[in-house]
Amino acid sequence: MDITDELAGGSPPTLARAKGVGVVQFSIARYSGGNTPTISIDNLQSLAEEFCKNNDLMCDITKYSESKIISVEAISLMDNEFVLVRHFTNGNDIVMTTHICQDSKSIEMIEDLNGVKQIMKTMNF
């Protein structure tokens, strides 16, 4: 369910399951004019590494390039907190999706993660 309106003003679009233990947020950077960018998988990897560094996370990073949408995913599990960040691009625009859960050992976390992974598998823009 969309809980964005329950958060502080200016928060990115945020979803949570009613009985879940985590949230998923979407931050979007759309190309709007000027020189057309060419965003590569290496650019996305740099963004993921920077996110992990800025948040003091030790992350495992995986690259995906199965379709016209390419992405890089970083996962961190530290002190029972699970963080997943995945940057997507269609070559011009970037979407950063984050999933944060502070109870990584709960069954609800697994159900949340399954939903997040389904959203990510169907990402198209």
Side-chain angles (χ1 to χ4, degrees):
M1 64 197 250
D2 187 343
I3 63 166
T4 308
D5 291 340
E6 299 172 26
L7 303 175
S11 294
T14 304
L15 304 175
R17 287 185 328 109
K19 294 184 180 183
V21 293
V23 298
V24 61
Q25 292 187 313
F26 303 90
S27 300
I28 303 162
R30 288 208 174 270
Y31 167 70
S32 61
N35 293 335
T36 305
T38 304
I39 302 164
S40 70
I41 201 160
D42 292 332
N43 298 130
L44 297 182
Q45 181 172 346
S46 294
L47 289 172
E49 290 169 350
E50 183 178 334
F51 178 91
C52 294
K53 179 180 176 187
N54 290 344
N55 290 283
D56 295 321
L57 300 172
M58 296 181 61
C59 296
D60 292 323
I61 295 180
T62 305
K63 298 178 184 181
Y64 299 90
S65 59
E66 306 95 25
S67 65
K68 66 180 181 176
I69 303 293
I70 59 173
S71 63
V72 173
E73 178 178 274
I75 294 177
S76 174
L77 180 58
M78 294 172 50
D79 301 324
N80 201 34
E81 181 175 80
F82 178 84
V83 177
L84 179 151
V85 62
R86 192 159 173 180
H87 293 85
F88 296 84
T89 188
N90 58 7
N92 294 325
D93 309 304
I94 297 175
V95 175
M96 180 179 78
T97 304
T98 57
H99 172 63
I100 300 171
C101 174
Q102 294 182 336
D103 185 8
S104 66
K105 296 181 180 171
S106 71
I107 189 70
E108 290 85 4
M109 184 275 202
I110 295 168
E111 291 178 18
D112 284 354
L113 186 57
N114 287 338
V116 170
K117 288 289 193 172
Q118 186 59 36
I119 290 169
M120 290 181 176
K121 282 169 64 175
T122 60
M123 185 72 71
N124 194 5
F125 56 99

